[in-house]
């Protein structure tokens, strides 16, 4: 594969961060590998009465507020786009700027020529992604363990506010969704969660002042360019979101398995002396 093509695929993976998102990351739990967004264990509880609709709306507002007391989460995320899946395991932090310290299958990122390990560590900090790579004896990767890629630009700004980079936004979206249906209790391995299904529109997200202010110019990317999305969420008995799933259009979906919510967590950038820019790598493909 030509290096320019390879780095292009790397940027596609980064773009999925704006559009949406192995050994597990630190502290990963044991939820089901992929709970189905289609009801399978219980008949839907039809909510025709206005009292039932009000109850589910109030519940989703409480679930959406769950992350207000936290600033990071250990999670597994899956981003599916145009038939391609990328998985991320590890730490996701939010606040003034989203940050990540995760691992992803090297083949899914298309970085096999840069990293011989099965997993590639991916950092998001500041305005850049950093990918762990194999140091070389010559060329731009000589003695370097990290490759830096600038964040893709979305609507005039960096795509730091996508769902994959900041899963808190996905939880917030629950308060803006409507048409909720209670699909009953389901077992996610050793955790029982109640499965709810609804839908959200871009218009509703835009009207959410907190979300619109936080996401800024990248707000439309939360639905990957679609006007609406189907949502599924699994919630435990304490109102904690366990799994969150969204399907946008026919080719894009996003899922996050939320294990442990934590306090603030910083993600430092690798030292400059140990980092090479992706542009330098792309400019010297024969040295790789």
């Amino acid at each position: 594969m030509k290096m320019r093509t390879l780095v292009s695929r790397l940027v596609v993976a980064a773009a999925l961060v704006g559009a949406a998102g192995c050994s597990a990351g630190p502290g990963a739990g044991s939820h089901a590998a992929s709970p189905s967004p289609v009801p399978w264990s219980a008949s839907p509880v039809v909510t025709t009465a206005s009292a039932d609709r009000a109850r589910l709306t109030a519940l989703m507002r409480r679930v959406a507020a769950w992350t207000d007391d936290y600033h990071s989460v250990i999670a597994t995320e899956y981003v599916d786009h145009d038939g391609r899946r990328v998985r991320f395991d590890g730490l996701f932090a939010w606040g003034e700027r989203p940050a990540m310290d995760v691992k992803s299958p090297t083949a899914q990122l298309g970085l096999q020529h840069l990293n011989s390990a099965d997993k590639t560590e991916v950092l998001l900090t500041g305005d850049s992604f950093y990918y762990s790579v194999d140091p070389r004896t010559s060329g731009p990767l000589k003695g370097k363990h990290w490759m830096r890629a600038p964040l893709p630009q979305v609507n005039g700004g960096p795509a730091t506010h996508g769902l994959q980079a900041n899963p808190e936004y996905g939880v917030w979206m629950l308060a803006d969704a409507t048409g909720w249906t209670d699909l009953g209790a389901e077992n996610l391995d050793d955790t029982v969660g109640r499965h709810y299904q609804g839908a959200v529109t871009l218009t509703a997200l835009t009207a959410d002042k907190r979300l619109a202010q936080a996401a800024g110019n990248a707000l439309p990317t939360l639905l990957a360019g679609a006007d609406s999305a189907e949502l599924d969420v699994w919630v435990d008995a304490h109102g904690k979101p366990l799994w969150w799933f969204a399907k946008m259009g026919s080719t894009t979906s996003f899922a996050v398995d939320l294990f442990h919510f934590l306090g603030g967590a910083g993600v430092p950038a690798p030292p400059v002396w140990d980092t090479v820019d992706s542009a330098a790598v792309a400019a010297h493909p024969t040295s790789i």
Side-chain angles (χ1 to χ4, degrees):
M1 177 185 296
K2 293 182 179 180
M3 182 52 57
R4 190 170 300 276
T5 303
L6 185 147
V7 174
S8 175
R9 289 186 61 184
L10 180 153
V11 174
V12 168
L16 289 175
V17 174
C22 125
S23 58
S30 58
H31 293 171
S34 182
S36 172
V38 179
W40 55 267
S41 68
S43 299
V45 178
V46 180
T47 56
T48 55
S50 59
D52 287 335
R53 291 195 296 270
R55 175 182 64 84
L56 291 180
T57 297
L59 171 63
M60 289 305 148
R61 288 175 178 168
R62 291 196 300 272
V63 177
W66 183 271
T67 62
D68 291 354
D69 295 328
Y70 302 94
H71 299 283
S72 61
V73 66
I74 301 297
T76 294
E77 295 185 337
Y78 304 89
V79 181
D80 287 270
H81 182 67
D82 287 342
R84 180 179 174 202
R85 165 170 283 204
V86 183
R87 171 176 174 162
F88 303 88
D89 294 271
L91 175 72
F92 302 82
W94 51 83
E96 184 177 351
R97 303 197 73 173
M100 302 178 347
D101 185 354
V102 299
K103 288 188 176 181
S104 183
T106 301
Q108 291 183 3
L109 295 175
L111 297 180
Q112 301 94 314
H113 290 352
L114 296 178
N115 189 347
S116 59
D118 290 339
K119 305 292 179 184
T120 293
E121 186 172 6
V122 182
L123 308 179
L124 169 62
T125 182
D127 61 354
S128 301
F129 284 100
Y130 296 86
Y131 299 83
S132 59
V133 295
D134 295 332
R136 307 299 168 91
T137 58
S138 62
L141 291 175
K142 181 179 180 179
K144 309 293 186 181
H145 294 85
W146 295 93
M147 181 175 68
R148 173 185 173 274
L151 287 163
Q153 298 291 301
V154 174
N155 296 330
T160 59
H161 301 298
L163 288 174
Q164 199 277 328
N166 192 346
E168 182 184 38
Y169 292 161
V171 177
W172 284 3
M173 286 167 61
L174 297 172
D176 302 316
T178 58
W180 287 106
T181 300
D182 183 344
L183 299 178
E186 298 178 359
N187 189 353
L188 310 182
D189 284 354
D190 59 351
T191 303
V192 175
R194 199 158 189 93
H195 182 181
Y196 301 93
Q197 191 172 69
V200 68
T201 65
L202 181 59
T203 300
L205 297 183
T206 304
D208 185 331
K209 293 182 179 179
R210 179 172 72 161
L211 186 56
Q213 181 178 3
N217 291 339
L219 179 63
T221 69
L222 296 183
L223 299 187
D227 294 327
S228 63
E230 300 172 5
L231 298 182
D232 289 80
V233 64
W234 289 255
V235 182
D236 75 4
H238 305 289
K240 173 188 174 183
L242 302 172
W243 258 90
W244 185 94
F245 177 90
K247 183 171 179 59
M248 305 90 161
S250 60
T251 62
T252 301
S253 66
F254 176 84
V256 56
D257 191 352
L258 301 154
F259 296 116
H260 304 298
F261 287 91
L262 307 168
V267 177
V272 174
W273 58 264
D274 200 22
T275 303
V276 63
D277 284 343
S278 59
V281 176
H284 298 86
T286 59
S287 65
I288 305 303

